[in-house]
Every structure is written in C-alpha cells, then in structure tokens.
Amino acid sequence: MKIAVVGAGAMGSLFGALLAEAGNEVWLNDVWAEHVNAINQNGLEIEREGKVRKVKVHAVRDAGKIGDAELVIVFVKSTQTGEAAQIAGDLAGMGGMVLTLQNGMGNADTIAEVVEPARVLAGTTSHGATLLGPGSIRHAGTGPTTIGVWNRTKEGFDRAVRFAQLFNGAGIACEAVEDARVPIWNKLLINVGINAITALTAIKNGEILDLEVTRNLSCAAVEEAMVVARGRGISVTEDMVEHVLAVAKATAANRSSMGQDVDNGRQTEIRAINGFIVREGRDLGLKTPVNWTLTALIETLEKHY
Ligand code: NAD
C-alpha cells in the first residue's frame, strides 16, 4: 500500500518505518529539513532496547512530490493539525483515507473539515517514541492501537478492520472499533489527569502520587472531565480516576509529553486536552474550574518562555 505520513517526528517516523519494513511504500513528510535529509542520506535510525537498526524510507519536505496515497497518517502535534489536514487532504486525493492517532481531542474533527468523515480514521496508540536527533528516534514502548472510522457507519467499521489488518501485518497490534470516540476520550482523560500537572510542577508522572494534594488535584481534573464526557453521551470507563493514578504509577519514571514541551520551551497540546474540556463544558453549561485553571496556567507559561 502507498502510505504518506504528515508530521514525521518521533511517532510519524516510527509508524512510517514499521509500515515500510512490512513492505509498504511509505513517504514521510516533515518541515524539518535536517531530519528529512538525514533520513534520505542514511536511512531512519531506530533504537529499541539498546539495539539500533536502520530503515530505508522516502522522506520529503514538499508533500507535492508524493502523489496520491491510499492512507495518509497525520502525526503532527495537535497545534499543527489544521495545516497538516490540508496537506493530508491533498495527498488522500479522491479515495484515500486519513488517519489520526494524535493525542487530545479535536484532531479528527479538524481533518473532517477537509476530508469527508467517511474517509477519516481516528484512534489512539500506546506505542511511545522519542526523537533523538535528525534521522534518529527511540522506540520507547509498545502497546495496543485502536482505530475506527469517524462517521461510525457499518461500512466504516469494515474499512477500519481492513486498515487494522494492515497495521497488525506490520507488527503494530491494532483493533478496529465501531466508535473511536470512546478510546480517544479514555486516553484524553489520562492526559487530563497527568500532563498539565506534571508540566507545571516539573515532576515525573509517578510523583503525582507522592502528596495527597497532588493526587486530589489530578482526580478533580479527571472527575470534571468525566462529567463533560457523559454530557456528550460518551460512556467512559467507570473507574477512570483510579485508572489514571494507576497509569501515573506504571509510568512513574516518565516525564509527560507536555512536561517535555514545557522543558524545551515548545507550544503544548493544552488546548486539545484540558482546554478542550473547558470548551466542551462551556458548550454544555457545565463548570470546569480545575481544567480552566490548569489551562490558564499552561497558556501563561507558554507566553513567557
Ligand atoms: P514530534 O514533535 O516528535 O513530531 C511532530 C513532527 O511534525 C515534527 O517533526 C515537526 O517538524 C512536524 N511538523 C510540524 N508541522 C508540520 C507540517 N505543517 N507539515 C509536516 N510536518 C510538520 O511529536 P510526536 O511525539 O511524534 O507526537 C505527535 C502526536 O502523537 C502528538 O499529538 C502526540 O501527543 C501524539 N503521541 C505521541 C506519543 C509519543 O510517545 N511521542 C505517543 C502517543 C501519541
């Protein structure tokens, strides 16, 4: 299959490389010239559990050189989704599918403004990756990937099954679901309870559990977001608050992605995470003071890097 990846940072490079290793024709598209040049000159270097391998894959800065693709994967940060959606729409042409596995909420809707919703696939992944430098990434962890077609039709589900098979064939354990909103909301709730708090306080995920006051803050943010999810008709996992604390424990030594963004003076995905809860709450007439405060503090921090 011909596959294009728009946003070939840590995750885009990883998924592109795994799909290329399975024999697909993969094109990575990124605005970062050094990274694109390094991949074309030396291949993409992947470090996994101390071992390094190289994968040959096409990389371009100009997406116009790729032509139509059957599958386009959007893996930019959520702050760039609008721009990436336009590129993805062009690459998908009249019949291709566009997939987002980005964190946060709103990415699939942004893509669906450009590509008809029946051709938008959305989901989540528990794979983890880090950029080490131009042309080089670390595959930090594996886990399940879930995808579904955004318009939630029977035909859509059949399509999702076909693409899940493609991923499974590339060693990316993937399940097709009828309603991708459920796993996306469940992952969003984890990010709501961990990301902004760790980013603001410079702590690692596990340190959320150290003090009762920090645990309570995390639980309050998640409980607020669960009310918003239910207001939108999403049946989120009942014991989500405990689950978020369990994830913080299981990833105790990790610095969250938002934490890393703040450490490096980059724009964060706050608007697609806690900020999304605030906007949805406002729409539903629900108060979200904890998520509002976390969003306001991160936005203030971003402005004063
Ligand atoms: P990243 O910053 O490593 O990669 C994003 C890439 O997009 C960068 O290389 C950047 O140059 C490129 N880019 C920006 N604007 C572009 C444009 N207009 N056209 C083409 N390329 C563009 O980010 P990441 O860690 O790979 O994360 C991507 C998404 O996946 C985020 O939503 C993140 O939350 C999510 N995610 C990340 C992980 C992880 O472990 N890193 C895990 C699950 C989900």
Side-chain angles (χ1 to χ4, degrees):
M1 187 181 289
K2 183 168 174 183
I3 300 165
V5 180
V6 182
M11 291 300 282
S13 292
L14 173 67
F15 272 64
L18 294 173
L19 289 161
E21 284 178 315
N24 297 288
E25 179 189 343
V26 177
W27 290 78
L28 303 180
N29 167 234
D30 204 286
V31 291
W32 184 18
E34 267 181 291
H35 186 51
V36 166
N37 294 341
I39 295 169
N40 284 327
Q41 276 161 25
N42 311 314
L44 178 76
E45 213 170 74
I46 304 181
E47 186 207 306
R48 171 97 182 109
E49 290 168 346
K51 288 195 186 128
V52 178
R53 68 185 196 277
K54 282 196 176 178
V55 181
K56 268 197 83 60
V57 55
H58 310 281
V60 286
R61 282 176 72 196
D62 175 7
K65 291 186 176 152
I66 299 175
D68 285 1
E70 280 171 80
L71 175 65
V72 184
I73 308 176
V74 173
F75 249 141
V76 294
K77 291 284 182 112
S78 61
T79 46
Q80 308 294 331
T81 304
E83 210 176 308
Q86 296 291 339
I87 300 167
D90 289 343
L91 288 169
M94 302 302 285
M97 301 288 287
V98 180
L99 165 69
T100 164
L101 293 171
Q102 298 158 278
N103 277 329
M105 194 62 90
N107 298 301
D109 282 329
T110 302
I111 295 167
E113 285 170 18
V114 181
V115 182
E116 53 190 301
R119 293 199 289 129
V120 177
L121 284 160
T124 59
T125 183
S126 299
H127 278 267
T130 316
L131 263 172
L132 299 178
S136 173
I137 61 164
R138 173 177 300 131
H139 187 181
T142 61
T145 296
T146 309
I147 60 171
V149 172
W150 201 232
N151 71 350
R152 293 178 278 145
T153 57
K154 168 77 182 74
E155 305 77 64
F157 180 66
D158 294 343
R159 282 179 151 194
V161 168
R162 192 160 76 80
F163 285 95
Q165 281 166 353
L166 169 84
F167 277 62
N168 282 311
I172 301 165
C174 185
E175 188 196 354
V177 290
E178 276 170 25
D179 190 354
R181 294 179 311 160
V182 176
I184 297 175
W185 265 99
N186 281 330
K187 184 146 191 221
L188 177 74
L189 292 170
I190 295 169
N191 290 326
V192 159
I194 295 179
N195 287 21
I197 294 169
T198 50
L200 287 163
T201 56
I203 61 175
K204 293 193 169 148
N205 291 0
E207 290 170 318
I208 285 183
L209 307 170
D210 288 354
L211 293 179
E212 193 181 349
V213 70
T214 326
R215 272 200 311 274
N216 288 346
L217 177 61
S218 171
C219 294
V222 176
E223 276 163 6
E224 237 178 50
M226 285 173 76
V227 175
V228 172
R230 292 196 184 108
R232 281 289 183 229
I234 307 291
S235 46
V236 290
T237 311
E238 265 319 305
D239 59 354
M240 200 32 131
V241 170
E242 294 75 33
H243 181 60
V244 172
L245 296 180
V247 171
K249 191 173 177 190
T251 59
N254 292 5
R255 181 95 175 103
S256 71
S257 58
M258 197 178 291
Q260 291 180 42
D261 285 339
V262 165
D263 296 344
N264 291 297
R266 293 188 299 246
Q267 293 299 297
T268 72
E269 295 186 298
I270 190 75
R271 285 156 209 82
I273 301 176
N274 307 79
F276 173 81
I277 298 300
V278 175
R279 292 195 303 280
E280 289 288 287
R282 204 173 288 146
D283 222 47
L284 291 162
L286 296 167
K287 289 206 176 355
T288 55
V290 178
N291 283 282
W292 182 86
T293 305
L294 292 171
T295 305
L297 289 170
I298 293 282
E299 287 187 354
T300 307
L301 200 58
E302 284 179 352
K303 273 277 173 277
H304 294 87
Y305 282 149

